[in-house]
Amino acid sequence: MIQFVNVSKNFGRQVVISEANFAIHDGERVGFVGPNGAGKSTLLEMLSGHQQPDHGECNVPGNQRLGYVRQQLNAHAVTATLLDYTEDALPELNTISHDLNAIETKLAGDGLDETEQNRLLRRLGELQTQYEHLGGYELRNRAEATLSGLGFREERFNDPFTSFSGGWQIRAELARILVAQPDILVLDEPTNYLDVPAVEWLSDYLKGYSGTLLLVSHDRFLLNTLTNVTLEVMGGHVTRYPGNYEEYRRARTARHEQLLAQKRNLDHKKEQLERFIDRFRYQATKAAQAQSRQKQLDKLEEIEVQSIVDHAPHIRLPEPPRSGDEVLRLEDIGYAYDGIHEVISHCTMRLERGEHAAVVGLNGMGKTTLLRLMAGKFTPKYGRVVNGSNVLPGYQSQDYAETMDPDATIYETAKSYANERSEADIRDLLASFGFYGEALEKKVQVLSGGEKVRLGLARLLLKPLNFLLLDEPTTHLDIHAREALQEALAKYPGTIALVSHDIEFVRGVANTIYAMEPGKLTKYYGGYDYYHQKLAEAKAAQLAAAQPTPQQKPKPAAMAAPKKQEAKVPEKSGEKPAQPKGNYRDLKRAESQLRQTFGKLRRPYEATVTACETRISELETEQNGIYEKLNNPEPGADFAALNKRLAEINQESENETWKWEEASTALEKLEEEFQERLKNLDA
């Protein structure tokens, strides 16, 4: 169990974490949420030992391996190839491998007596067991599969690690940590440099991870898919909520409303007491009662209700002027950065007024290049880019913010771009992107890279444009700002073309998907879920096409049109002539008997599976109840008994899971045997 006990952390005069107390239990999947700068990454840094708390203790089990992927690269062996770097995930395997080679060399030599030989053989067996337990024999295959899942091409596996860009190097670091399969997996914004397919792969991979997962992310898709506990970091405090991000939001709102009701009742009671005291304090007949009321008032404790921000202030986009029905048309365009190797080849597409299109695909497919061609920033090698009538485009790229005057303040930068907007509108929009109060007087030159990106996007959205081209607009935005931007763009009546790795954002904004593949651009006339449905249908069709159809199956000898009415002579002495098939009634009778036989065999295993699933669900419910008691202890709570019961639940869950797996495996084997026997009947 991971424990933070009265942990505080300051940076200069800024209090980041104040008296934090919380626990993370083995096997929990925890999402850390809160605004940028609240201290989420600081908590992970202290947990991993890279920083120390100013006060309090951070306790991590010493017998568990911890894997930590930070937002910034912390490469350990940059001279290796990509595959070697990823495969070098468990240093202890190198030590074991070295010891195995040394023992094998000794055993191959002469002069060993029987006692020494037996000792070496025992040690060899122990090391081989350790190597196998750590996954040494499957490490390379695991590394290759992980790299492929995160978007690396197989032909680049043996390229030097240093030949990859910073974003791809961070992907490789993520792959290396995943390959190590640590007991505690700590991920700080793992999707910052991932595309949509890689995010989906990572989500599927982590669903099967059995250790303790700690995830800092603004990606709602991952938080909702992977976590079952949420730790809110805000105002220096850390508050624990059961459930994923959506469940946390509901619980937080309910808790906030409850606190508000309690505070209203308390304030009303205090007001009544104060009125009585003020009225009768100086009357001799009521003085004793007034003193009694004063004592009651003094004993009342204040209820502190933190301001709750479920989302950033609403972004109000100006009403765009109407454009023509056709906003943009690409006619068989191509583009090559070096004039030779084409990034975009023979691409044709058409955007209509009101269409919200998202371009998805692996990194390197040319999504950003396509957006720049649409925005007129690049000139195609061949083909035409045709703009519609009365189209007013606005393009936001990752380097868009660098065009701002470094000596201007945040407010001046926004105002200069939209003089027609009121001061209130400008301040509201800037606030929705995290700029308010004294921060509006900061100069652009002192802003971080992320702040510049946010300001650049805010500046763009102030203008009444009818065609927005947005390249990763959610980068450096916290969850609340992403939700506010998503809501504004979803209602935007103009046309949008965007590239984003935030799946929830794409799902909420796009009504059309363009999927980029090498040399191919496919349009899906629906949102993200429709696109996924079509992908699943296409995959199912491919699998079906790969299976031989009845027409493709070779006809039995008895059904083939014979040239002559003569029996087939066996070619080998042990071969029997093909037997004619039985009639339809006999075949159905045999199938029915076969189903009854296998039905009886399946029933006990099916009962075991159902019983195990029911029991596992009961144990999980009891476990969550104990966690709630530990986090909100009642007076006189028996912590020793609760922790003991938790250990018993974990052991019982493991036993039930083992029985479930055993019964499920048996059912699968029975099903395979049944299908094989059924096929033989039909043959």
Side-chain angles (χ1 to χ4, degrees), residues 151 217 281 513 532 538 580:
S217 180
R281 177 181 298 166
I513 302 292
H532 244 276

Side-chain angles (χ1 to χ4, degrees), residues 593-610:
Q593 291 175 349
L594 188 65
R595 292 183 189 279
Q596 290 178 10
T597 300
F598 276 88
K600 290 179 181 178
L601 293 173
R602 275 196 295 257
R603 274 195 283 274
Y605 294 115
E606 289 171 343
T608 300
V609 167
T610 301

Side-chain angles (χ1 to χ4, degrees), residues 272-342:
Q272 288 179 320
L273 290 172
E274 287 170 349
R275 278 205 307 267
F276 186 92
I277 293 168
D278 291 340
R279 183 177 180 182
F280 298 113
R281 177 181 298 166
Y282 302 109
Q283 293 186 19
T285 57
K286 298 286 187 179
Q289 294 181 34
Q291 290 178 358
S292 175
R293 297 290 198 282
Q294 183 64 54
K295 290 179 181 179
Q296 292 180 38
L297 181 62
D298 293 339
K299 290 180 181 179
L300 292 178
E301 296 183 1
E302 287 289 339
I303 295 179
E304 182 181 352
V305 182
Q306 289 186 342
S307 61
I308 181 170
V309 182
D310 275 335
H311 52 75
H314 288 293
I315 297 175
R316 290 189 292 273
L317 301 181
E319 186 70 20
R322 184 183 176 88
S323 68
D325 289 341
E326 182 180 78
V327 174
L328 182 79
R329 185 171 73 253
L330 305 183
E331 297 179 350
D332 192 40
I333 66 167
Y335 185 81
Y337 283 95
D338 57 4
I340 302 172
H341 302 94
E342 292 185 358

Side-chain angles (χ1 to χ4, degrees), residues 165-203:
S165 66
W168 284 97
Q169 288 182 1
I170 292 178
R171 282 199 196 204
E173 180 70 9
L174 173 59
R176 192 178 73 87
I177 298 300
L178 294 179
V179 166
Q181 295 182 335
D183 302 301
I184 302 171
L185 181 58
V186 183
L187 303 177
D188 192 356
E189 294 290 359
T191 62
N192 274 356
Y193 298 94
L194 300 183
D195 45 47
V196 167
V199 172
E200 292 173 333
W201 179 89
L202 179 64
S203 173

Side-chain angles (χ1 to χ4, degrees), residues 396-402 404 433 435 447-460 471-477:
Q396 174 264 332
S397 65
Q398 293 300 311
D399 56 359
Y400 173 72
E402 299 305 322
M404 295 182 290
F433 284 92
F435 303 114
L447 300 181
S448 67
E451 288 173 325
K452 288 180 180 178
V453 170
R454 285 189 278 128
L455 178 56
L457 181 58
R459 182 178 71 164
L460 176 70
D471 190 2
E472 296 291 357
T474 61
T475 302
H476 303 294
L477 298 183

